[in-house]
Amino acid sequence: MRRIDTDVLILGSGGAGLFAALHTLQVAPDLDVTIAVKGLLGKCGCTRMVQGGYNVALAKDDSAERHFMDTIEGGKWLNNQDLAWTLVTEAQVRIRELENELGCYFDRNPDGSVHQKAFAGQTFDRTVHKGDLTGIEIINRLAEQVWSLGIKRLEDHRAVELIKTTDGSALSGVLMIDIRSGDFTFVRARAVLLATGGGPTMYRYHTPSGDKSCDGLAMALRAGLPVRDMEMVQFHPTGLIAGPDTRITGTIIEEGLRGFGGHLLNGEGERFMTRYDEQGERATRDIVSRAMLSEMRAGNTGANGGLFLTMRHLDGTAVRKNFRGMVDRCADCGFDLVSGLVEVVPTAHYMMGGVVFEVNGKTALRGLFAAGEDTGGVHGANRLGGNGVANSTVFGGLAGDGIARWLASAGELAEPDATALNDACGHCLHPFEKPSGDIEAIRERLYDMMWEDAGIIRDAASLERAQTELDALRRDLNEIGVNAGTRAYHLAWHDWLNLKNLILVSRVIVAAATARDESRGAHFRADFPDACDIGNSWFTSARLDGDDIAVERKPVRFTRIRPGETLLRETAAE
């Protein structure tokens, strides 16, 4: 087994991971920093796929307080308020860092000020963007800085297990697979950042690429770490649906189109959103997704079982100018976004839940830090569009600062638990000891079950079915294997490992959803359609207890504001 020592190991090369690397070296330039990524740095991950933009209060009539209130109310008061306040205030710092220090250039108004567009669920147009290709702009500039600094990279390396020290009191390092050779690598580090991103690809329709399989969350669970809010899975209302034979199905048709004035139509050509919410198409993502699913279940659908987005009532030149990427993507799939109908479906997009962490990135395991979509608490029960990339860049930078400062007086290289390391290797090699089977059939079963029984609308019966099927899927996966031979670029092997992680995280989603006997934000229970007492809100905290999922309720601490109050002076004065 190849062994590597480094001061700081960063798992993931999205906005959180790359910002953490840069900030670590700003504080402590002599540290040895290594970035490990499942694909190629700058070319994979979810931040690069961001279309919509970056929420930040910049305009004269906007404020951090107003952004905070939108975030808390959008999160249905489940947010960790200290984390949410950090998000909205540090976003103002980070957006200037992106432009002034890293070289991002966002769209401008005629007077030269930064253009900010409308996004659903917000009371002010505060979404900074680069057309509809914002993520590419951010990641390209971040990657250029990382390359220029000569930061070490382990590309095509997937992390498979967090390995503790012999006494179990701290993290020693991370076991990885070099995808190019299939060999194991153990990276010992003084500090590790978990920034692999989420990726709810266990659902039939999903926005992340197929290689996103909740690896970070699964590793954290196996290491005994608590995760919170895991029942809160966000469905983006408008995922492109182009039939079952293309991977483009599920990818986002961005929210800014609805903010710009786009309409949603059912299969009969009727606009329906105003029947579900007075904000119409600009309601929050959870409301729009549920309304769409209700129309779909009523049979009011298009040829592929979806609904329609249309911009044809708007100025075509303006649509082409502001959404060039979307116009081209739709055209590639045979849809005319400017003057026709584009078939769409709600698509699993983001996980509000994740590892419990502090503002500086610390977790319950000594030596392990976390940032980005691997973490929970920032968004509560529902994330506002545009707050995701702000979350990654804000807390990635803060984690880098925190790691560097912590290592100034702590965090020595420590030997791994040899038994745990050997066991982890054995678990990874398990599918080579079994007869090859139909992995795709298991994936399809997972897709269908999570979409139908643990998706946008749930109830006790559907969640019980989901739990039963997940137990069966886990058993069935353990009984099938992959073809032996070279382990280099063994895609079936990695599909097996992906499914193992997705099934584990799905079990936690279902357990947390079962525990929340109310409806709140992205979590809707048809058998408990109302929210409980907001003033006595609680969040779910789950952990792996042996082979079972243990879930407990923990009270939300209203550290800055209580339900019914506001930070907005003009509102308070009325």
Side-chain angles (χ1 to χ4, degrees):
M1 182 187 299
R2 181 188 181 199
R3 291 178 180 252
I4 299 172
D5 285 351
T6 187
D7 291 321
V8 181
L9 174 63
I10 295 172
L11 303 179
S13 66
L18 297 187
F19 251 109
L22 297 178
H23 274 240
T24 298
L25 291 176
Q26 286 174 8
V27 176
D30 294 332
L31 288 176
D32 184 53
V33 177
T34 302
I35 299 174
V37 55
K38 205 173 182 180
L40 300 178
L41 192 147
K43 300 296 183 183
C44 65
C46 289
T47 304
R48 184 176 178 83
M49 299 171 69
V50 169
Q51 299 163 0
Y54 191 117
N55 287 348
V56 56
L58 295 178
K60 176 184 176 182
D61 295 327
D62 199 8
S63 65
E65 289 81 5
R66 189 169 185 172
H67 187 186
F68 175 80
M69 290 304 303
D70 286 349
T71 299
I72 295 299
E73 290 173 355
K76 305 304 179 187
W77 296 89
L78 292 190
N79 317 60
N80 177 311
Q81 294 191 2
D82 292 336
L83 293 176
W85 180 253
T86 301
L87 171 73
V88 302
T89 53
E90 287 293 319
Q92 296 172 321
V93 176
R94 199 69 78 239
I95 199 72
R96 291 175 170 88
E97 184 179 351
L98 281 164
E99 275 219 341
N100 300 339
E101 298 180 29
L102 300 180
C104 290
Y105 188 79
F106 300 111
D107 285 6
R108 290 310 205 257
N109 294 311
D111 64 0
S113 60
V114 174
H115 181 262
Q116 295 181 274
K117 62 184 177 182
F119 250 37
Q122 300 190 75
T123 59
F124 199 90
D125 297 352
R126 66 169 63 93
T127 306
V128 174
H129 63 106
K130 175 73 170 180
D132 52 8
L133 302 171
T134 309
I136 291 176
E137 177 73 3
I138 291 173
I139 286 296
N140 283 353
R141 302 294 83 77
L142 283 170
E144 288 168 357
Q145 294 296 320
V146 168
W147 290 325
S148 71
L149 292 172
I151 294 172
K152 294 177 181 176
R153 307 192 301 274
L154 291 172
E155 296 179 307
D156 285 333
H157 278 67
R158 81 173 292 166
V160 291
E161 209 69 47
L162 303 174
I163 305 298
K164 297 180 183 179
T165 56
T166 303
D167 64 3
S169 64
L171 184 64
S172 171
V174 180
L175 178 65
M176 316 194 77
I177 296 173
D178 182 344
I179 297 172
R180 297 167 298 184
S181 66
D183 296 332
F184 290 108
T185 298
F186 178 69
V187 182
R188 193 171 62 149
R190 297 170 62 197
V192 173
L193 176 68
L194 195 66
T196 66
T201 57
M202 64 282 287
Y203 290 92
R204 164 65 58 191
Y205 304 108
H206 56 260
T207 65
S209 58
D211 65 334
K212 300 295 289 184
S213 48
C214 299
D215 296 343
L217 288 172
M219 289 188 293
L221 285 162
R222 290 194 291 267
L225 287 161
V227 294
R228 60 169 289 174
D229 301 326
M230 288 296 291
E231 70 274 26
M232 303 300 177
V233 180
Q234 182 175 88
F235 286 77
H236 193 292
T238 50
L240 184 66
I241 182 167
D245 300 324
T246 171
R247 293 293 292 272
I248 201 73
T249 286
T251 57
I252 288 178
I253 300 299
E254 75 131 305
E255 189 163 83
L257 291 162
R258 288 181 288 120
F260 194 72
H263 290 168
L264 289 170
L265 309 177
N266 60 26
E268 298 173 357
E270 299 171 338
R271 188 180 175 198
F272 60 87
M273 269 309 305
T274 52
R275 289 193 275 110
Y276 295 90
D277 192 273
E278 63 182 12
Q279 295 187 76
E281 285 82 0
R282 290 188 64 174
T284 54
R285 291 174 173 178
D286 55 317
I287 293 172
V288 179
S289 293
R290 284 198 298 274
M292 292 177 68
L293 185 64
S294 296
E295 293 291 316
M296 292 165 63
R297 288 184 170 178
N300 298 326
T301 64
N304 292 305
L307 305 175
F308 297 105
L309 174 72
T310 182
M311 309 290 286
R312 61 189 177 188
H313 56 287
L314 302 171
D315 178 69
T317 301
V319 172
R320 290 187 186 91
K321 176 184 176 182
N322 289 284
F323 303 101
R324 178 172 55 87
M326 287 293 93
V327 171
D328 290 345
R329 173 176 291 187
C330 291
D332 288 343
C333 297
F335 295 112
D336 181 358
L337 178 62
V338 176
S339 57
L341 299 175
V342 178
E343 193 167 1
V344 293
V345 65
T347 179
H349 181 50
Y350 192 93
M351 302 179 71
M352 276 72 73
V355 176
V356 176
F357 78 118
E358 300 175 18
V359 168
N360 63 3
K362 282 188 177 180
T363 71
L365 178 59
R366 179 178 171 82
L368 180 67
F369 294 72
E373 199 178 345
D374 277 329
T375 63
V378 177
H379 306 294
N382 193 29
R383 176 179 69 83
L384 297 181
N387 271 1
V389 68
N391 175 25
S392 296
T393 57
V394 163
F395 289 103
L398 292 174
D401 296 338
I403 287 170
R405 295 186 179 115
W406 184 72
L407 287 179
S409 60
E412 298 300 321
L413 287 171
E415 284 301 307
D417 182 330
T419 299
L421 187 57
N422 290 333
D423 287 347
C425 292
H427 292 152
C428 290
L429 295 174
H430 173 81
F432 291 106
E433 300 171 355
K434 294 289 183 177
S436 60
D438 191 348
I439 294 175
E440 187 62 26
I442 291 180
R443 189 198 328 273
E444 291 294 320
R445 286 166 57 192
L446 179 66
Y447 280 168
D448 289 339
M449 178 273 301
M450 290 298 289
W451 173 258
E452 293 292 340
D453 291 335
I456 299 170
I457 298 176
R458 310 153 170 173
D459 59 33
S462 73
L463 292 169
E464 184 176 357
R465 288 195 302 271
Q467 184 58 64
T468 300
E469 178 66 356
L470 283 167
D471 289 340
L473 287 170
R474 184 163 50 123
R475 290 192 301 269
D476 293 348
L477 182 66
N478 282 329
E479 291 304 314
I480 68 169
V482 298
N483 291 324
T486 178
R487 301 202 312 245
Y489 287 113
H490 198 314
L491 299 186
W493 181 27
H494 291 283
D495 278 346
W496 192 97
L497 294 171
N498 290 343
L499 278 171
K500 176 184 175 182
N501 287 341
L502 287 172
I503 289 171
L504 172 58
V505 174
S506 296
R507 291 174 60 209
V508 181
I509 291 171
V510 170
T514 302
R516 184 167 290 283
D517 51 359
E518 64 157 354
S519 292
R520 188 81 70 99
H523 169 75
F524 186 82
R525 289 277 299 259
D527 48 350
F528 296 100
D530 299 320
C532 293
D533 179 12
I534 301 295
N536 292 307
S537 293
W538 49 269
F539 64 89
T540 58
S541 177
R543 65 169 67 237
L544 194 57
D545 182 13
D547 204 35
D548 298 323
I549 308 296
V551 181
E552 58 180 319
R553 299 179 177 185
K554 293 193 173 182
V556 173
R557 294 176 60 239
F558 300 117
T559 56
R560 294 181 179 271
I561 189 170
R562 295 192 60 81
E565 300 174 349
T566 181
L567 293 184
L568 303 181
R569 295 192 202 95
E570 63 270 25
T571 303
E574 290 176 357

